[in-house]
Amino acid sequence: MDEPTRKTRSIVVAGTAPSCATTVLFSFAARFVAPDLVRSAVINEPIGREAPMLHGLERFVVPATYGIGVLLWAVVLGVLLARLRRPPDVNRLFFVLVVVLSIDAFRTLFENAYFGAYWNAVYGVLPSDLKILLEAPALVVLPRLVNLFAGGLILFLVVWRWLPAAETDRIDLARRLADSAREAEQARDRYQRIVDASPDLVLALDDSGHVTDAGAQFREVLGIDPAELPGKPVSALVAPAARAAFEARLGRILTRDSVATDTIETLMLHGDGCEVPVAMRFARVAGGGYCAVGRDLTAERDHSLLEAAVSHLDDMVVITEYRMDDRRKHRIAYVNEAFTRQTGYSASEAVGRTPAELLHGPDTDPAAAARLLSALEDGKSTTAQLLHYARDGRMYWAEVSLAPIRDLHGRLTHYTAIIRDVTRHKEALDALAVSEERLRIIASMTSDLVWDWNIPENTVWRSGLAAVTYGYQPEETADVTDHWRRRIHPDDLSKVLEGAQAVIDGGGDHWCEEYRLLRADGTYGLMSAQGKVIRNAEGQAIRLVGSGVDITERKAREEAARQSQKLEAIGQLTGGVAHDFNNILMVIMANADAVIEETADGSATLDLAVEHLKRINGAAARAAKLTHQLLAFSRRQTLTPERLDIAHLVTTTSELLARTLGEHIAFETSMESGLPAILTDRPQLETAFLNICLNARDAMPAGGTLTVATRRETRAAADGEETEYVVLSVTDSGTGMTPEVRDRVFEPFFTTKEAGRGSGLGLSMVYGFVKQSKGLVEIESVPAPAAGHGTTVRMLFPLADEKAIHAKPESGEEDLPGGTERILVVEDEASVRVLVVSQLERLGYRVTEAGNGSEALSILRRDTDAFDLLLTDVVMPGPVSGDILLDEVRRLCPGLPVVLMSGYPDGTIPAAGQLPPGQTLLSKPFRKAQLARVVRRALAEARESTADGER
């Protein structure tokens, strides 16, 4: 409210208050004291010539009423006249109003004084003569003249002074309002310029926290257009993760009546989605709303982080003021905590002093320190090693790196020194130099190839054998990869590179390999190399140091020794086989001679002939068994694998085994439950298991304990791949074996038993069978009388997959099945072919024979539907071997069943359990009954397959 308005209000109140008070007093008197008197006084009518006298309270009401009115209007008139005596107010309208009110106040005062005197005289309050005087005609008309004069004067002032002044004031007011609006716009423009020039974020908010205005810095700091912010809640600028906490704090600020400022640190969301740390300060604004000023804390936080990082560095950081006029006046301005730890000087002690004063001593090289500063003055960053001194006098080698700090004009004002204690590093380098010199001397005197590969630089140093045998210069440095590609034999290159790289990449610290290396004379020598990887503190490989030995001659000697051992083993094997076969042949030849002699002299009888033939048949069976054992050792026997529960096999053979072992052997089992199935040949596994158990029994002549256990176990191969096995182990408490015996137990015909008690093929057969089943064999033995003596033999078989077949039980019928189908027999051995053809014809089959694969193909090409079954040998000479014949048969006669005869599978066919559909394996030697059952089953399966296809 302006000053004239306040003055006008006060004058109006002063002019109207007396009238209001008088009215109230008259109303009180009219209601409670003298209603008739007051009515007469108000209407100016006398109540009679003889008015009654006033008594009691009435004597005070009438004088008080008129007296108070006169007093009040006198005060009002005095105030107005006092205002008029002052210089005229600039506001003419206000001056005219004061004059009008003064006239009206005089009129009212006059009337109150006249009528108050008259009525007080009428009722005896004043002398009655005064009543007579006031009733005079000249005085009676006086109040009306005063009213008339005052009304005319007021009308004149209103028409001729009030209205023109009001119009003038209106014009002046409009002009002032326009000036005020223009000044307000200019003020707002200045305010907006100040806000936009401010580096802070400025917001105007209403009482609900919504933005009404925003500064231009929002575009630069937050990437937001300020024009888009009005109307949005300020919390919309806050990152979602910090929004809830911000809204809670803001709510407390908005609901508080205090005008105190509050600050909220929060994360605001940049236009690109990143978060910006901001400190928002809120203050209430007079007239409503709030002002918020935000400060970007990114630089402050970065500075704090930088300062914290510098203060926690292990290296000393020193910032020194540069003085161009005198180097001796360079004063330290800042040191970090590492400086205090290393030197013993606190920051307060160091600041203001020179680096030379604190750190240099008698043995510090002043020339090196001067070179540092000279390079710095040339605008270069430089590094040097100086001998520094700590506060306690301790000397240490320091690597000092100086970097210049310049002002905006490019003048050098300060420089930063990074100081690192390299005492241990320097000592290590000195020790390394001595060690390297020692290594070079030793390497130059050895015949081995010594090398040091610098992995980051991919260079290598060589010495020793390199200069003599392989034609390298001892100090030659070359690209390692290129060197290996040129020198290592192409067949060995990949394994060397991959093996070395695997170790470097974290596969270990040791590397070893054997490979062929090109010599200076153009030949390849066999190199056995090994090295150790040296890694830095981060675990990165930086060097591979090692040596290599030329083992060409050693390998030649080992190979010669191995060939000698092979020849010895073959000789032993040949001798054993010859011995056993000579015994078998002796039986066959003796019984054959007996049959011939008895037939020639006529003494032969049927019973004698049958007896001789039985002996011949038994000898043939022993020969077949011997052949079978030899094939098992060589892993060439024909297996018929099936899915087996090894625990069930042990359980079914335990009763028989317990009787076989004898009462002096305690038989125990430890079976793990829920073992998966394995895939192997059941009869061969039973034979191997019994063989091991009988060997264990023989190792306990005085009695003992034999424990059979099964379990599941996982083994890792050399390449890291894991394989699960089912383990069958046999443990005895017998005499055990010496290491020499244990190393030879799998050799054929090797035995420690007395003559006649063992052939030496038992464990050889076990070894070959398990290996052929893709398993493992392990032996552990402790010879007596050591504690815990005995032997454990473990057979490990891989788990069977779900597609492995189940064995089909053999028919127990004695009658041999036959038929009339057409069979093509292919066998290169004439005697065997004649025998097989004869047996098949006796069974009723129609047989065609071929002596080799080529002849068989010619027969099949003439008529592909001429035969119901092909019975062929696998290993045959000539251009068409067994596998080639099978491929052609599958092409020419896709549905023709095939029975493969083989006593020595050479890898061209899989095991029986893994043959494709339509093929069956018949192992040599076989009897007529086996031949009959296999042929009949093959024909039946082919017939069933054809029927299923037609359905």
Side-chain angles (χ1 to χ4, degrees):
M1 184 182 297
D2 57 1
E3 183 65 22
T5 303
R6 284 196 299 272
K7 293 177 180 179
T8 302
R9 186 175 65 177
S10 63
I11 293 300
V12 172
V13 171
T16 56
S19 298
C20 293
T22 304
T23 303
V24 171
L25 289 174
F26 272 106
S27 298
F28 178 79
R31 177 70 179 84
F32 298 103
V33 181
D36 293 335
L37 297 178
V38 175
R39 180 180 60 81
S40 299
V42 171
I43 62 176
N44 294 326
E45 292 182 358
I47 61 174
R49 185 61 65 176
E50 296 294 335
M53 299 301 292
L54 301 176
H55 303 280
L57 182 63
E58 298 175 353
R59 294 181 61 84
F60 297 99
V61 172
V62 174
T65 301
Y66 282 104
I68 292 173
V70 171
L71 180 61
L72 290 176
W73 283 108
V75 171
V76 170
L77 182 60
V79 170
L80 294 173
L81 292 176
R83 181 68 184 85
L84 289 175
R85 282 199 300 270
R86 297 178 186 175
D89 198 283
V90 177
N91 192 331
R92 292 176 298 170
L93 185 64
F94 173 75
F95 182 78
V96 173
L97 177 62
V98 173
V99 173
V100 170
L101 290 176
S102 300
I103 295 171
D104 187 60
F106 173 77
R107 178 190 63 79
T108 306
L109 176 63
F110 180 81
E111 287 183 348
N112 275 274
Y114 178 84
F115 287 109
Y118 176 80
W119 289 106
N120 277 288
V122 170
Y123 290 101
V125 178
L126 295 176
S128 58
D129 294 339
L130 182 61
K131 169 180 174 296
I132 298 172
L133 177 63
L134 294 175
E135 288 181 344
L139 293 178
V140 169
V141 75
L142 187 58
R144 290 163 174 79
L145 291 175
V146 170
N147 275 332
L148 183 62
F149 175 75
L153 185 58
I154 289 172
L155 179 63
F156 171 78
L157 291 174
V158 168
V159 173
W160 296 101
R161 290 290 183 268
W162 178 279
L163 293 179
E167 179 63 21
T168 303
D169 286 349
R170 186 188 66 79
I171 295 172
D172 292 342
L173 178 62
R175 184 177 64 255
R176 287 198 299 271
L177 289 175
D179 294 341
S180 298
R182 183 169 55 257
E183 292 175 358
E185 183 63 28
Q186 293 174 352
R188 177 175 178 79
D189 183 63
R190 288 194 300 272
Y191 158 78
Q192 191 65 44
R193 290 176 181 272
I194 294 172
V195 168
D196 291 343
S198 172
D200 296 331
L201 304 172
V202 182
L203 285 173
L205 307 177
D206 59 18
D207 290 334
S208 64
H210 286 70
V211 178
T212 59
D213 199 1
Q217 286 299 321
F218 276 89
R219 179 179 290 104
E220 180 178 347
V221 177
L222 295 179
I224 300 174
D225 187 357
E228 298 177 356
L229 296 180
K232 293 184 179 180
V234 66
S235 59
L237 301 174
V238 180
R243 190 169 296 163
F246 177 84
E247 290 176 344
R249 290 282 306 278
L250 181 63
R252 290 194 291 270
I253 294 173
L254 297 180
T255 56
R256 191 167 56 198
D257 295 333
S258 173
V259 296
T261 59
D262 289 272
T263 301
I264 303 177
E265 288 193 10
T266 186
L267 295 174
M268 287 196 167
L269 201 61
H270 195 276
D272 60 5
C274 66
E275 296 177 348
V276 179
V278 175
M280 296 292 295
R281 188 175 181 85
F282 294 86
R284 183 181 289 277
V285 179
Y290 292 84
C291 175
V293 179
R295 187 174 72 258
D296 185 358
L297 300 179
T298 303
E300 295 182 15
R301 290 192 179 183
D302 291 346
H303 178 74
S304 300
L305 290 174
L306 178 60
E307 186 173 354
V310 170
S311 65
H312 289 85
L313 284 175
D314 291 332
D315 294 340
M316 294 175 275
V317 179
V318 180
I319 300 177
T320 305
E321 181 185 3
Y322 176 76
R323 294 289 184 89
M324 185 178 298
D325 53 348
D326 190 352
R327 291 179 177 178
R328 294 173 297 177
K329 295 181 181 180
H330 294 181
R331 303 294 177 183
I332 295 175
Y334 169 84
V335 294
N336 66 344
E337 294 179 6
F339 182 89
T340 300
R341 292 195 302 267
Q342 295 283 354
T343 66
Y345 294 105
S346 65
S348 59
E349 293 173 325
V351 172
R353 301 174 69 179
T354 66
E357 180 183 356
L358 293 180
L359 303 177
H360 294 181
D363 294 330
T364 303
D365 186 359
R371 285 194 297 271
L372 277 173
L373 290 177
S374 298
L376 185 71
E377 292 168 351
D378 292 338
K380 301 176 182 177
S381 298
T382 182
T383 301
Q385 289 189 356
L386 298 175
L387 190 62
H388 278 184
Y389 290 79
R391 183 173 189 171
D392 57 5
R394 176 179 56 88
M395 293 187 300
Y396 62 93
W397 280 100
E399 183 180 77
V400 183
S401 299
L402 299 186
I405 300 176
R406 301 182 183 277
D407 60 12
L408 296 177
H409 303 288
R411 293 190 297 265
L412 179 64
T413 60
H414 295 77
Y415 59 88
T416 301
I418 307 297
I419 305 173
R420 175 175 299 174
D421 186 348
V422 294
T423 304
R424 293 184 179 179
H425 179 67
K426 189 172 180 62
E427 292 173 352
L429 288 178
D430 293 341
L432 180 61
V434 173
S435 177
E436 288 182 346
E437 183 63 24
R438 185 183 298 119
L439 173 63
R440 292 176 189 275
I441 294 173
I442 295 174
S444 64
M445 299 176 66
T446 182
S447 60
D448 293 348
L449 171 60
V450 181
W451 41 268
D452 183 357
W453 178 15
N454 187 325
I455 296 174
E457 298 179 6
N458 200 29
T459 58
V460 65
W461 171 87
R462 306 177 190 85
S463 183
L465 186 64
V468 180
T469 305
Y470 288 89
Y472 304 138
Q473 294 302 318
E475 300 299 328
E476 179 184 357
T477 300
D479 181 87
V480 176
T481 306
D482 180 65
H483 151 71
W484 274 350
R485 292 187 185 280
R486 289 186 290 107
R487 298 283 184 166
I488 295 178
H489 193 282
D491 295 342
D492 299 337
L493 180 60
S494 60
K495 73 173 182 178
V496 173
L497 293 177
E498 293 171 3
Q501 193 62 47
V503 175
I504 291 172
D505 291 341
D509 292 333
H510 293 275
W511 170 78
C512 60
E513 193 64 77
E514 289 186 4
Y515 54 90
R516 287 163 289 180
L517 189 64
L518 185 64
R519 292 171 171 166
D521 60 2
T523 62
Y524 282 97
L526 187 60
M527 178 67 64
S528 175
Q530 59 180 350
K532 179 176 177 58
V533 178
I534 300 175
R535 302 183 185 275
N536 58 17
E538 290 75 26
Q540 297 176 335
I542 56 175
R543 293 170 65 193
L544 181 59
V545 180
S547 64
V549 180
D550 191 324
I551 59 172
T552 308
E553 295 183 1
R554 191 187 77 189
K555 284 291 184 179
R557 291 193 300 269
E558 290 177 356
E559 183 63 24
R562 190 159 42 250
Q563 291 297 330
S564 177
Q565 291 175 355
K566 283 184 179 181
L567 291 175
E568 182 181 354
I570 292 173
Q572 186 177 6
L573 174 62
T574 304
V577 172
H579 176 271
D580 287 358
F581 264 103
N582 283 335
N583 291 335
I584 294 170
L585 291 174
M586 184 64 194
V587 174
I588 294 173
M589 293 170 65
N591 282 276
D593 289 343
V595 171
I596 293 172
E597 291 176 359
E598 291 172 358
T599 302
D601 60 14
S603 61
T605 64
L606 181 59
D607 291 339
L608 286 174
V610 171
E611 185 66 25
H612 290 309
L613 291 175
K614 285 181 178 180
R615 292 174 186 152
I616 293 173
N617 190 32
R622 289 196 300 275
K625 181 179 180 181
L626 178 60
T627 305
H628 181 74
Q629 290 175 327
L630 292 172
L631 289 174
F633 166 72
S634 64
R635 287 172 271 173
R636 297 287 186 171
Q637 64 178 329
T638 303
L639 298 180
T640 305
E642 58 180 289
R643 288 175 62 90
L644 290 179
D645 181 352
I646 201 167
H648 178 69
L649 181 142
V650 173
T651 303
T652 55
T653 57
S654 294
E655 183 177 352
L656 172 63
L657 187 60
R659 290 198 302 268
T660 304
L661 294 176
E663 296 181 355
H664 65 296
I665 303 294
F667 181 72
E668 298 178 355
T669 59
S670 175
M671 316 294 288
E672 182 178 315
S673 60
L675 290 176
I678 63 173
L679 183 67
T680 189
D681 187 298
R682 183 186 187 92
Q684 293 296 329
L685 177 57
E686 291 175 345
T687 302
F689 175 56
L690 290 173
N691 220 323
I692 295 172
C693 291
L694 293 177
N695 281 344
R697 179 200 63 184
D698 295 341
M700 299 182 288
T705 302
L706 188 146
T707 304
V708 177
T710 59
R711 69 175 184 276
R712 188 171 183 168
E713 187 173 316
T714 301
R715 296 288 184 90
D719 58 0
E721 183 178 357
E722 293 186 344
T723 304
E724 285 192 288
Y725 294 94
V726 173
V727 183
L728 173 60
S729 64
V730 178
T731 303
D732 65 66
S733 59
T735 57
M737 293 180 282
T738 63
E740 294 77 16
V741 173
R742 187 180 63 240
D743 292 341
R744 299 187 62 191
V745 291
F746 294 128
E747 293 182 10
F749 297 104
F750 175 80
T751 180
T752 58
K753 300 176 183 178
E754 61 270 20
R757 292 205 57 191
S759 64
L761 286 174
L763 289 180
S764 302
M765 181 272 294
V766 171
Y767 179 84
F769 156 67
V770 176
K771 287 295 185 180
Q772 192 173 358
S773 299
K774 297 181 175 58
L776 304 173
V777 183
E778 297 175 345
I779 289 185
E780 293 180 2
S781 187
V782 178
H789 58 82
T791 301
T792 298
V793 180
R794 283 187 290 269
M795 294 185 289
L796 292 80
F797 296 94
L799 307 187
D801 58 27
E802 296 299 326
K803 298 180 180 180
I805 64 170
H806 294 272
K808 296 183 179 180
E810 292 288 343
S811 173
E813 298 179 1
E814 292 297 330
D815 294 336
L816 300 183
T820 60
E821 286 87 353
R822 298 162 298 175
I823 299 177
L824 174 61
V825 176
V826 185
E827 172 61 61
D828 61 294
E829 183 64 38
S831 59
V832 176
R833 185 173 67 251
V834 170
L835 177 61
V836 172
V837 170
S838 173
Q839 289 177 339
L840 290 173
E841 288 178 343
R842 282 180 172 273
L843 292 172
Y845 295 107
R846 293 172 289 171
V847 182
T848 302
E849 58 182 290
N852 52 57
S854 300
E855 185 179 347
L857 284 179
S858 298
I859 295 172
L860 288 172
R861 288 192 180 103
R862 287 198 296 269
D863 188 356
T864 57
D865 297 326
F867 299 98
D868 300 305
L869 183 140
L870 173 65
L871 179 62
T872 178
D873 192 10
V874 175
V875 180
M876 292 186 295
V880 181
S881 60
D883 56 334
I884 296 176
L885 177 61
L886 287 177
D887 292 339
E888 289 297 315
V889 167
R890 279 193 291 266
R891 185 178 62 82
L892 293 173
C893 312
L896 182 65
V898 178
V899 175
L900 304 173
M901 298 181 294
S902 178
Y904 180 74
D906 60 352
T908 58
I909 59 173
Q914 302 170 1
L915 288 171
Q919 295 183 14
T920 307
L921 185 62
L922 179 61
S923 299
K924 294 179 181 179
F926 52 82
R927 293 183 178 274
K928 181 179 180 181
Q930 291 177 272
L931 175 63
R933 282 193 292 268
V934 169
V935 169
R936 192 71 257 162
R937 185 169 63 243
L939 289 169
E941 290 176 353
R943 192 176 299 111
E944 291 175 3
S945 177
T946 303
D948 291 340
E950 292 176 354
R951 283 197 297 269

